[in-house]
Amino acid sequence: MNPSRLFRLCRKELRETLRDRRTIITLLFMPLLVYPLLSMALHRFLLGSGKPAETPYKIGVATKAEADLLDRWINSPLAMPPEEVLEASGEAIAQFDILLTEPSDPVRALEAGAVDVAAAVDNSDPGVPPDVTFTIFRGDAAGRSARRILVERFQWFKLSRAQILASDRRGRTRGLDDPYRPPMTVAAAEIGEEEPTSMLGTVIPLVLVLMTITGAVYPAIDLTAGERERGTMEALMASPVPRSAVLTAKYLAVVTVAMLTAVANLVAMFTTLWAGRLLPLLTGDDAGFPWLAVLQILGLLVLFSGFFSAVLLSLTSFAKSFKEAQAYLIPIMLLSLAPAMLSLMPGIELKGPLAIAPLLNIVLLTRDVLSGQIDAVATAAAIGSTIAYAAAAIAIAAKLFGSDAVARTSGQTIGSLFRRPVRSRAFPTLQMATMVVALLVPFYFVVSNGLMRFLENAGDSLGLEARLSLNAVALILAFGMIPLVSAWFNRVDLGTSFRVHRPSATSIVGSVLLGLGAWVFAHEVFVLADAAGIRGLTEEKTKQVLKVLEAWKDVSPVLLLATLAVTPAVIEELCFRGFLFSAMRRALSPAKTILITSVLFGAFHVLTGNALLLERFLPSTLLGLILGWVAYRTGSVIPGMVLHFVHNGLLELAAKYKDSLTFLGEGLDTQGHLPVTWLITGGTVAAFGAAAIWFAGRPGSDQATNPAVLPNLPVKT
Amino acid sequence: MLVIDSLCKTFDLPAGKLCAVDDLSFQVHPGEVFGLLGPNGAGKTTTMRMVLGLLEPDSGFAEVEGARTADDPIAVKARLGFVSASDGVYPWLTVREMLLYFADLYGVPPAEAKTRCEELATLMDIQPLLDRRAGELSTGQRQRVTLVRGLIHDPPVMLLDEPTRGLDVVGVQTIFQYIQELRGMGKAVVVCTHRLDEAERLCDRFGLLHRGRLKHLGTLDELRGQTGRQTLVQIFVDLLEGN
């Protein structure tokens, strides 16, 4: 579907939902209602940080002597603030209860929360003034407030004593040379975990979850279950637009409303806080308006809105009425708060399986982004998997939406999602492709991460052969099995959907030539990307890679080719230029199909285990474009496999035998640009290959995916 | 032209299997109004839904202008206009916005859709309604808007499911005029109804469905010859009593 048409469909959904006063209430009135309440809560928090004067702070000390001494100092008239300070603070004088914590240590009592401050007075050396130490628990607002007042009191005390001493000296002539001795020294100490720098990282994820979910709920129900209630569903389903397109337009509308709601909420929130001078409380400093944080939050908002809109749409698409949809959504809203609450807990980090845990990952990501501690791999995994989950939810929604437009007779249940269709299909649908990609992201992340961890634990006990074989197995499990299971489950014909058609001999020759020549361009792109600073490998990792390449010299070339050339060539081609290609080709133009499959191909080469190999994106995408074009021209997945095999095999053998290839001259060993002669040779070979494929591919050679000549497959029961 | 060949559909109900459509075959030619008649539950709506691709037949096929629903549902839907008595409207959109939305769904280019919208609005006398919110319309007005909606993409085949249900005399008259217009435009029209008296006045040929099976097929004269009865009502009474 072209973007302008999609825009028009989306505009209709937006008109419909934004003209409805129920949307407007959520969009505008909620912020007006919520933020004064939130502001009040924050005020309460702020006031709570300085206890009301009538509630005394508790100071724990170990001995009676210390308690007496402290009491004498703290409550001495000398320690009281001057009149003008008292007046300015509304005559409020903080009260202190000095508690003996014997036999336990005051710090223990502090840890147990029995006291606000633990105090210790070291009076052991009569030659020096007593040393007073006040210990508080990090992040405890009451303790911090109490200690501040205590330190101030001691300052007043010392100041008063110094003033008295000074006025005494004016009346006397003797003793003028006696040095001033402070009555005591005061030190501050802290225990407990590091205090979070700001509340922003803990409050915002919670607010984002609430905002986006609130914004998305009504339009999600209205645009799906609402179609049934209005009686417009049957006419909509009778129109010649794929459900996925209708759903995409609805999804974009729901995302827009969710984001508008969230933006309205953010504006209201920041305005309330700014006006109430509460911003520093949230941001943790007085650096002014947190523009960067606001921008980051807007970016994160897209993730949250995208995720929730998709999840809500998949649920409301199943509901037959407003009431039913609401019944589904209430538990979801409550459930969503649990991960949001988790972000408030220390010790939970965005890594490993949590990086791909739905919702929890973006909540943790928000916390990390706002506290400025981002891990690139975890961030990529969180964003990638969230996009995948949203895509999966939309695919489910598209399957459910309108499937019971004829509710009386179709008997649609949630179980039907897991039931295999009765009829066979020649090609996978776009929904199936979306679902495959959506499953691939988390599955591949888990498999490759698990593999990395296993290999790291195994250390040197596992030989390179075993490592290479395991890599190949992981590839087969992810990119081989998921499309295959999808094809089996959806009763899609394997031959047509994986595009396994017999190619012409010319196209094979062309693929070999293209494979022999194409690598020079891939290498150049790699070098250019590297020069542009796109690299994910650290020096240490590069050394590791070089070490592995060195070790390849001892590995059998057959195993090397089998694991790193044959397996990727067969499995990745079947997945990207087979299943995904044939699904997309049914709905999209050849150019778009080639582009999207290439970008996916490039993206999956970036995320491998625990490293983000960004420098692989451009060369892999370029290779994907070439492979996509070959697949389109030849109408088959096989020439692409040959090209892929030749390309990978050539590079691996070159790496293995690079010491024996010195006769080729300089160039192979460098990380820089290839010599011009190499480029010309590679370019010429590739051009011959491309020409062979161009002529081998008959016009309309991709007719296997042309809807007009779909074979009518038999019904399987 | 619409071709229906050996269509079958069985539903699994808690009470057992229900054969809703059983080996149904008929054809409708351009400029012809075909009445698919039968009592409630005869299988008329199920047949329409199979033609539209909203339900999958167990066997057989429906073909519209050479495209089969099972093979290329999108192409079939693009060639069909569908109007049902149970059709609703989008209450917050104006009539014009709703018509243009459906034109867009059917792939009519925006400029052409605007012209077509004006032409049809004049034809069906809904010009004054174009800029009103659909939610404010009366039942009769909604019905006319829905009829225009079904024609917005100028389909060669029209399916009308119980088009007169819930309408007053004026509303029914509008439908009659509409169907005459469709015949004049050379469209193949299928009218599903259980109102036999209306069908007799409207349709050129009839298919009489009972419990999913096509009992009689032909013009009124052919049916009279087959059954010896004069009216569709009498023919149906015989059918029902025979079972």
Side-chain angles (χ1 to χ4, degrees):
Chain A
M1 172 167 289
N2 69 49
S4 63
R5 192 169 170 212
L6 188 64
F7 168 76
R8 289 194 301 272
L9 296 186
C10 178
R11 188 181 56 186
K12 171 258 164 186
E13 308 292 353
L14 275 175
R15 270 182 182 150
E16 206 191 334
T17 196
L18 288 176
R19 282 177 189 167
D20 193 335
R21 68 178 73 89
R22 285 173 287 190
T23 315
I24 300 303
I25 287 173
T26 332
L27 191 67
L28 294 178
F29 288 90
M30 280 294 282
L32 289 178
L33 192 74
V34 167
Y35 292 99
L37 287 175
L38 190 75
S39 163
M40 279 159 67
L42 279 170
H43 261 295
R44 205 179 147 72
F45 174 84
L46 193 68
L47 291 175
S49 66
K51 281 194 176 183
E54 56 268 24
T55 313
Y57 292 110
K58 292 175 188 152
I59 307 174
V61 285
T63 62
K64 179 85 172 64
E66 285 175 295
D68 290 344
L69 204 53
L70 267 183
D71 186 42
R72 217 170 65 219
W73 281 333
I74 295 168
N75 294 317
S76 153
L78 298 181
M80 291 302 142
E83 276 299 313
E84 50 273 33
V85 176
L86 259 181
E87 238 171 71
S89 62
E91 306 279 338
I93 290 279
Q95 302 296 316
F96 293 93
D97 276 352
I98 301 171
L99 308 171
L100 276 180
T101 57
E102 279 177 328
S104 105
D105 182 21
V107 176
R108 284 272 170 79
L110 178 68
E111 277 172 346
V115 295
D116 297 316
V117 183
V121 184
D122 182 6
N123 207 4
S124 53
D125 186 353
V128 290
D131 185 27
V132 187
T133 308
F134 293 118
T135 310
I136 61 163
F137 202 90
R138 271 198 186 89
D140 177 38
R144 198 169 49 209
S145 188
R147 188 175 64 180
R148 181 179 52 77
I149 297 169
L150 284 170
V151 171
E152 277 174 10
R153 290 248 174 126
F154 279 88
Q155 275 308 114
W156 296 129
F157 188 91
K158 285 190 227 172
L159 193 67
S160 305
R161 283 288 295 270
Q163 279 175 343
I164 291 167
L165 204 67
S167 60
D168 275 2
R169 283 181 184 183
R170 272 199 294 275
R172 286 187 286 170
T173 50
R174 278 191 310 135
L176 271 177
D177 296 333
D178 287 353
Y180 164 72
R181 256 173 51 126
M184 77 291 282
T185 55
V186 180
E190 284 177 356
I191 58 163
E193 283 198 18
E194 192 60 47
E195 184 189 358
T197 51
S198 75
M199 269 176 72
L200 210 59
T202 47
V203 171
I204 291 291
L206 193 67
V207 177
L208 277 183
V209 168
L210 278 172
M211 284 173 184
T212 44
I213 211 166
T214 313
V217 161
Y218 178 71
I221 299 177
D222 187 47
L223 299 181
T224 50
E227 292 271 6
R228 282 195 188 87
E229 285 210 340
R230 285 188 289 268
T232 44
M233 182 64 98
E234 199 166 2
L236 188 61
M237 287 301 102
S239 66
V241 179
R243 279 184 206 169
S244 51
V246 176
L247 239 293
T248 307
K250 288 183 183 294
Y251 173 68
L252 292 176
V254 178
V255 171
T256 310
V257 177
M259 287 191 58
L260 282 176
T261 312
V263 168
N265 278 268
L266 277 175
V267 169
M269 186 180 93
F270 276 99
T271 310
T272 315
L273 293 177
W274 176 76
R277 294 175 192 281
L278 289 171
L279 259 187
L281 179 72
L282 201 65
T283 54
D285 54 40
D286 293 320
F289 196 80
W291 292 109
L292 177 69
V294 169
L295 283 179
Q296 287 169 331
I297 293 167
L298 285 177
L300 290 159
L301 201 60
V302 180
L303 267 186
F304 276 87
S305 312
F307 176 77
F308 276 122
S309 302
V311 171
L312 297 189
L313 272 181
S314 67
L315 283 168
T316 56
S317 292
F318 180 67
K320 292 183 186 66
S321 65
F322 249 84
K323 271 189 182 170
E324 193 182 333
Q326 279 168 339
Y328 295 147
L329 295 192
I330 290 167
I332 288 293
M333 288 177 76
L334 293 175
L335 271 178
S336 305
L337 288 176
M341 293 292 185
L342 274 179
S343 76
L344 301 171
M345 293 170 69
I348 295 185
E349 286 179 41
L350 183 69
K351 63 178 183 188
L354 289 190
I356 55 160
L359 184 58
L360 184 58
N361 60 359
I362 44 174
V363 165
L364 293 173
L365 177 67
T366 308
R367 189 192 65 184
D368 291 357
V369 166
L370 293 174
S371 58
Q373 300 153 345
I374 314 169
D375 175 67
V377 179
T379 304
I383 294 174
S385 58
T386 299
I387 293 171
Y389 297 136
I394 295 171
I396 290 173
K399 193 171 161 67
L400 290 172
F401 180 70
S403 54
D404 63 345
V406 287
R408 191 159 55 90
T409 45
S410 75
Q412 173 82 0
T413 62
I414 202 84
S416 61
L417 270 181
F418 307 102
R419 209 174 295 141
R420 294 181 70 197
V422 178
R423 263 176 191 263
S424 299
R425 310 178 59 97
F427 301 107
T429 61
L430 211 51
Q431 288 167 34
M432 294 174 202
T434 312
M435 193 53 110
V436 163
V437 175
L439 288 174
L440 270 175
V441 175
F443 189 77
Y444 183 55
F445 180 80
V446 169
V447 168
S448 62
N449 232 316
L451 187 69
M452 283 284 176
R453 199 161 291 180
F454 174 73
L455 294 179
E456 274 166 19
N457 289 341
D460 292 336
S461 64
L462 209 61
L464 190 57
E465 285 88 352
R467 284 165 187 266
L468 288 173
S469 307
L470 276 175
N471 260 318
V473 169
L475 195 73
I476 295 170
L477 279 179
F479 294 94
M481 292 312 289
I482 291 181
L484 192 67
V485 168
S486 170
W488 166 81
F489 180 81
N490 293 299
R491 277 195 214 283
V492 185
D493 183 78
L494 294 182
T496 47
S497 57
F498 285 96
R499 307 174 78 249
V500 187
H501 307 297
R502 207 172 69 183
S504 66
T506 323
S507 68
I508 296 294
V509 173
S511 302
V512 172
L513 291 176
L514 204 49
L516 287 171
W519 73 270
V520 291
F521 299 108
H523 176 87
E524 285 303 299
V525 172
F526 182 88
V527 174
L528 287 174
D530 193 47
I534 310 170
R535 60 183 313 175
L537 281 179
T538 55
E539 289 293 320
E540 192 191 345
K541 290 259 177 192
T542 313
K543 274 184 198 156
Q544 274 179 18
V545 171
L546 289 175
K547 206 175 118 190
V548 170
L549 291 182
E550 198 61 30
W552 278 12
K553 287 177 185 166
D554 304 326
V555 178
S556 129
V558 176
L559 183 82
L560 208 58
L561 288 180
T563 54
L564 294 174
V566 176
T567 311
V570 173
I571 299 296
E572 289 177 7
E573 288 315 298
L574 284 175
C575 177
F576 290 96
R577 259 65 60 179
F579 191 87
L580 297 180
F581 197 96
S582 63
M584 288 181 195
R585 187 62 194 92
R586 291 269 289 147
L588 304 171
S589 66
K592 281 184 190 157
T593 305
I594 294 171
L595 186 70
I596 296 174
T597 49
S598 310
V599 171
L600 285 173
F601 183 68
F604 274 108
H605 279 80
V606 171
L607 194 65
T608 45
N610 54 1
L612 267 192
L613 304 176
L614 284 179
E615 73 282 2
R616 283 176 73 177
F617 181 72
L618 286 178
S620 301
T621 306
L622 176 75
L623 185 64
L625 288 171
I626 297 171
L627 288 164
W629 176 76
V630 171
Y632 166 65
R633 278 303 298 175
T634 60
S636 166
V637 77
I638 295 169
M641 285 181 185
V642 173
L643 196 166
H644 202 147
F645 167 76
V646 172
H647 173 270
N648 283 20
L650 186 71
L651 291 185
E652 279 131 26
L653 292 180
K656 180 175 163 65
Y657 296 113
K658 70 176 180 198
D659 292 349
S660 323
L661 297 176
T662 45
F663 66 89
L664 289 171
E666 292 297 315
L668 256 184
D669 221 13
T670 62
Q671 298 288 314
H673 289 284
L674 290 168
V676 179
T677 47
W678 281 76
L679 287 174
I680 293 171
T681 315
T684 314
V685 173
F688 273 110
I693 285 165
W694 178 268
F695 290 112
R698 303 171 305 278
S701 59
D702 207 34
Q703 61 177 225
T705 51
N706 184 340
V709 289
L710 269 177
N712 194 14
L713 292 169
V715 175
K716 284 182 189 159
T717 51
Chain B
M1 179 169 161
L2 170 71
V3 179
I4 285 176
D5 194 334
S6 318
L7 267 189
C8 288
K9 181 72 189 177
T10 304
F11 293 113
D12 285 323
L13 298 180
K17 283 191 182 297
L18 171 75
C19 183
V21 176
D22 188 5
D23 199 21
L24 178 65
S25 300
F26 64 87
Q27 299 185 354
V28 187
H29 301 277
E32 184 181 37
V33 180
F34 182 85
L36 190 59
L37 315 178
N40 292 334
K44 307 183 296 287
T45 304
T46 304
T47 305
M48 285 225 176
R49 286 172 174 167
M50 284 192 281
V51 175
L52 281 164
L54 299 178
L55 276 178
E56 205 174 334
D58 297 336
S59 62
F61 65 86
E63 195 178 281
V64 182
E65 301 283 302
R68 288 190 186 182
T69 312
D71 297 339
D72 197 352
I74 299 289
V76 169
K77 286 175 180 179
R79 293 164 200 187
L80 286 170
F82 173 64
V83 173
S84 162
S86 56
D87 279 344
V89 291
Y90 293 108
W92 299 100
L93 298 187
T94 65
V95 171
R96 190 191 303 276
E97 283 166 353
M98 195 181 92
L99 293 175
L100 292 180
Y101 172 62
F102 273 93
D104 223 345
L105 288 178
Y106 280 88
V108 183
E112 198 184 318
K114 278 183 191 158
T115 322
R116 191 142 177 84
C117 181
E118 293 291 338
E119 284 171 8
L120 288 172
T122 313
L123 186 75
M124 293 299 294
D125 199 22
I126 57 159
Q127 271 286 1
L129 307 180
L130 280 181
D131 293 311
R132 279 177 58 187
R133 291 265 167 93
E136 300 167 0
L137 305 181
S138 69
T139 313
Q141 288 170 330
R142 275 187 197 197
Q143 182 70 7
R144 275 188 286 162
V145 168
T146 309
L147 294 172
V148 170
R149 194 214 69 212
L151 266 179
I152 196 79
H153 57 296
D154 198 14
V157 178
M158 285 294 294
L159 305 179
L160 310 178
D161 189 12
E162 302 282 2
T164 57
R165 193 170 73 200
L167 292 184
D168 60 11
V169 182
V170 183
V172 172
Q173 198 52 39
T174 310
I175 300 289
F176 275 40
Q177 283 169 3
Y178 178 73
I179 291 173
Q180 296 295 353
E181 293 280 354
L182 294 180
R183 184 188 278 124
M185 292 173 189
K187 302 201 182 297
V189 184
V190 180
V191 183
C192 279
T193 182
H194 62 279
R195 296 289 303 271
L196 304 176
D197 50 336
E198 287 176 3
E200 221 171 85
R201 287 167 54 201
L202 266 176
C203 306
D204 304 318
R205 238 160 30 96
F206 306 90
L208 268 60
L209 267 182
H210 186 49
R211 294 189 177 166
R213 286 195 77 88
L214 190 65
K215 296 291 185 184
H216 297 289
L217 180 71
T219 60
L220 190 57
D221 284 341
E222 285 167 348
L223 294 187
R224 282 172 181 156
Q226 285 169 23
T227 61
R229 296 289 188 175
Q230 283 307 299
T231 64
L232 287 174
V233 176
Q234 288 169 332
I235 297 171
F236 248 101
V237 170
D238 283 356
L239 258 182
L240 294 174
E241 284 176 353
N243 287 283

